[in-house]
Amino acid sequence: MGNPITCQSCGERIDRDELILRGLSHCFSCGEKLEASLINELKLSDLDVPLNPPPRESRIEIIEADNNRLMISLPAGGKRSRSLGCFAVIWSLISGAVFVFFSFMGLNDPDFPPAVILIPGLFLLIGLVITVIWIRLRFTRGYLFLEPGRAVMQTILFNRKKNSEIVLNDSSRAELVTSYTENDLPVYRVELQGVGKSLSFGTAWERDAKDWYVETLNSFLAWHYRDSSAAHARAGDYDPDRPAENSLTPACPACARKTRLVAADGSWLSTGRCQCEQCGSWLVVEAGEITEATPVRMVAPDELSADSIFRLKHPGVDEWLLSVDIRSSKDSSFGGGCLLVFGIFWESFVIVWTWGVSQAPGLFKYGMLLFSLPFHAIGIGLLAVASYVLFGRFQLLLSRQESWGRWSLGPVRYTRRFRAEAVTEIKLVRGALLNSGKNRTQKDRDSSQSEEFSCILMAAGKTIPVTHGNSSEESRLAAGLVRYCLNDLGIRLQDD
């Protein structure tokens, strides 16, 4: 039996060639359907086109694959759509309740001004629009069919199908395009450019799934148009006349030195992964800009200065405790102060407005008091975040027995626990929780060199922010300290 695979249910070893020959996707022994990742690898294994299988947790399925035809599923929205759905439901329920109450008042009180009903009605309409957008992101699925010369995308929403077709030529390629911004960070979609038209999809997916689609589509096109320009290289976007500065030679977030964004074949990289030529850190590139970096340098405790915002202690055997003084960061202090002032003005206005409507006669005041509740929640949330930034503390405990990240504000604490052995990555992610934009021109803010990066720890799917609004230099230092602690515990990361 050559090149076998193992059934995830019964452990039976199955011959790949026999599965492909018989066109089956289940185990011969137990009849259990094989994992989608195994089937994807099977369908791509004998192709001449250099295609990698999709990420294991992406829910992407290869429906059909040969050298001239490629059919891939487009799964429904993932985790990114959940927050929008929660927001849409809460917004719609609150505004809907107020709208029903006001409508009841208008029907039973002849002196009630009908125009007042329009206020919660407008908020309800906004909530319904957001809900529709969320439904489309969450439940739209489909298929993408690709062959030389054309691409067809079929989208399915509650059994309603829609087909879109574009013509492809040697200048067609896939790339990541900004759909919208969230917390000052761009959220990308995949866009396949054709002749005069394009196909767009994948806004709600995780980034690794989007990167895979861009890489796969460009690899398929590059193989069929391999005699044309090198612009269709697997991960990139080569242009020999393009300048070697700006987005092509940004500052590496892990070492702060200039690096070139080039793929393994030497072409300029617009989307994908590469290594910094200075420090060897892994970089993630989206639309020509570095969005993530995985530093490889370790920072020992004796490298910390006396005025550092970090304190690294060794409280026990095989145990490290990292404390971060958030308020020492200039950007955090400035941002927290601005947020505190804004929160005080917001909540003061809402309190005065609430007191005013409470003096109104009849049932009108109860409806307005109900209407003011979400605005109070926003004001209290702003004050809570500002207080944490100015007076809070973050601690990270790394140990073989117990590990956690803890955010505290006085006696109030929130702890997220994880296993140190489950840590998969320490990375720098573009964007800070509270980032001061003072003394920066628009040109500087648009440049990747001036963007701040936060340090993030990933452990078994859990995200632990280690820095919150700190500078990129402080985030680099935090990443090096955490890597040192893990290395001292004998834990090796995936990129080691």
Side-chain angles (χ1 to χ4, degrees):
M1 181 184 297
N3 199 16
I5 62 174
T6 303
C7 173
Q8 76 277 3
S9 179
C10 66
E12 181 73 15
R13 294 173 68 81
I14 308 168
D15 185 28
R16 290 173 178 261
D17 296 335
E18 186 176 358
L19 272 176
I20 296 174
L21 181 64
R22 297 171 60 180
L24 300 178
S25 60
H26 61 266
C27 175
F28 303 149
S29 178
C30 66
E32 185 74 16
K33 182 177 176 63
L34 297 174
E35 290 182 349
S37 58
L38 294 177
I39 302 301
N40 290 336
E41 292 177 7
L42 281 175
K43 293 183 176 180
L44 297 176
S45 59
D46 293 332
L47 298 184
D48 295 328
V49 184
L51 301 181
N52 294 321
R56 285 185 171 270
E57 299 181 357
S58 63
R59 298 179 292 122
I60 301 171
E61 294 185 24
I62 305 296
I63 309 300
E64 180 183 356
D66 60 40
N67 290 330
N68 295 306
R69 294 162 62 92
L70 188 62
M71 188 173 181
I72 316 171
S73 70
L74 303 177
K79 297 179 181 179
R80 186 177 293 277
S81 62
R82 294 177 184 175
S83 58
L84 180 62
C86 292
F87 176 78
V89 170
I90 295 174
W91 180 290
S92 299
L93 287 177
I94 294 176
S95 58
V98 176
F99 177 74
V100 170
F101 180 84
F102 277 28
S103 300
F104 175 80
M105 290 284 297
L107 293 174
N108 293 274
D109 188 352
D111 297 328
F112 189 84
V116 178
I117 304 177
L118 297 177
I119 299 176
L122 177 61
F123 279 86
L124 178 59
L125 179 61
I126 294 174
L128 294 177
V129 171
I130 298 175
T131 303
V132 170
I133 295 174
W134 168 72
I135 290 175
R136 291 179 63 86
L137 287 175
R138 177 65 180 85
F139 297 104
T140 299
R141 56 187 179 86
Y143 303 95
L144 180 66
F145 175 79
L146 193 69
E147 64 180 5
R150 73 178 184 129
V152 180
M153 182 176 69
Q154 181 182 81
T155 55
I156 306 171
L157 179 61
F158 303 135
N159 295 324
R160 296 186 61 182
K161 299 180 180 179
K162 179 183 178 182
N163 294 329
S164 302
E165 181 175 346
I166 61 173
V167 176
L168 303 175
N169 58 19
D170 58 359
S171 63
S172 299
R173 65 186 178 93
E175 61 182 358
L176 294 180
V177 178
T178 302
S179 286
Y180 62 93
T181 58
E182 182 177 312
N183 297 327
D184 294 329
L185 297 177
V187 176
Y188 298 101
R189 67 179 185 273
V190 180
E191 184 170 284
L192 176 60
Q193 299 174 352
V195 180
K197 295 173 59 179
S198 62
L199 299 177
S200 300
F201 52 89
T203 300
W205 296 344
E206 297 299 313
R207 193 202 68 248
D208 58 351
K210 301 176 187 179
D211 289 342
W212 180 84
Y213 269 92
V214 171
E215 176 184 340
T216 300
L217 297 180
N218 284 339
S219 294
F220 186 87
L221 294 172
W223 194 81
H224 284 283
Y225 297 106
R226 54 189 180 276
D227 294 332
S228 60
S229 170
H232 304 287
R234 164 176 291 195
D237 178 344
Y238 175 71
D239 183 355
D241 298 325
R242 199 169 179 180
E245 291 297 328
N246 301 327
S247 62
L248 296 177
T249 53
C252 170
C255 65
R257 291 183 290 177
K258 293 275 189 176
T259 185
R260 296 181 303 157
L261 303 182
V262 293
D265 61 359
S267 62
W268 295 118
L269 193 72
S270 64
T271 297
R273 282 170 60 89
C274 64
Q275 280 188 289
C276 173
E277 61 183 359
Q278 305 292 340
C279 65
S281 299
W282 282 103
L283 308 176
V284 175
V285 183
E286 293 183 356
E289 295 182 342
I290 299 175
T291 58
E292 289 186 13
T294 305
V296 295
R297 178 178 179 268
M298 301 180 190
V299 178
D302 55 8
E303 295 184 52
L304 293 176
S305 60
D307 58 348
S308 173
I309 67 169
F310 302 104
R311 291 291 179 267
L312 188 59
K313 299 180 180 179
H314 209 344
V317 179
D318 292 335
E319 189 174 83
W320 289 96
L321 180 64
L322 176 65
S323 299
V324 184
D325 187 1
I326 300 173
R327 57 191 167 184
S328 295
S329 168
K330 294 180 180 179
D331 277 350
S332 294
S333 299
F334 178 81
C338 292
L339 192 61
L340 180 63
V341 173
F342 180 74
I344 291 174
F345 275 103
W346 177 286
E347 187 60 21
S348 299
F349 174 79
V350 177
I351 290 175
V352 172
W353 183 80
T354 303
W355 178 83
V357 299
S358 67
Q359 309 302 311
L363 296 176
F364 173 76
K365 63 181 177 183
Y366 298 107
M368 297 306 292
L369 291 175
L370 179 64
F371 183 69
S372 68
L373 290 180
F375 296 96
H376 281 292
I378 294 174
I380 294 173
L382 292 173
L383 293 175
V385 173
S387 299
Y388 171 74
V389 172
L390 293 174
F391 308 108
R393 185 175 64 166
F394 173 76
Q395 290 182 307
L396 178 68
L397 178 69
L398 295 172
S399 169
R400 285 283 187 179
Q401 289 73 35
E402 180 186 26
S403 297
W404 43 254
R406 176 173 293 165
W407 298 262
S408 58
L409 178 61
V412 180
R413 293 181 176 181
Y414 172 71
T415 302
R416 184 174 294 178
R417 303 182 186 278
F418 60 94
R419 293 188 307 107
E421 295 86 348
V423 176
T424 57
E425 195 174 9
I426 304 295
K427 58 185 180 181
L428 301 175
V429 179
R430 185 178 180 183
L433 179 64
L434 289 173
N435 189 14
S436 169
K438 60 181 180 178
N439 299 326
R440 291 181 182 171
T441 65
Q442 184 63 41
K443 181 178 179 180
D444 289 336
R445 287 193 293 268
D446 292 339
S447 171
S448 60
Q449 284 96 322
S450 64
E451 292 289 345
E452 300 293 353
F453 283 78
S454 299
C455 178
I456 303 293
L457 180 148
M458 302 296 297
K462 294 183 179 180
T463 301
I464 312 292
V466 181
T467 56
H468 313 68
N470 303 82
S471 66
S472 295
E473 181 181 357
E474 292 167 337
S475 296
R476 283 194 295 271
L477 188 59
L481 290 170
V482 175
R483 288 189 68 96
Y484 174 88
C485 296
L486 292 174
N487 184 72
D488 184 72
L489 297 174
I491 298 173
R492 299 293 182 266
L493 304 182
Q494 294 179 350
D495 56 292
D496 288 342

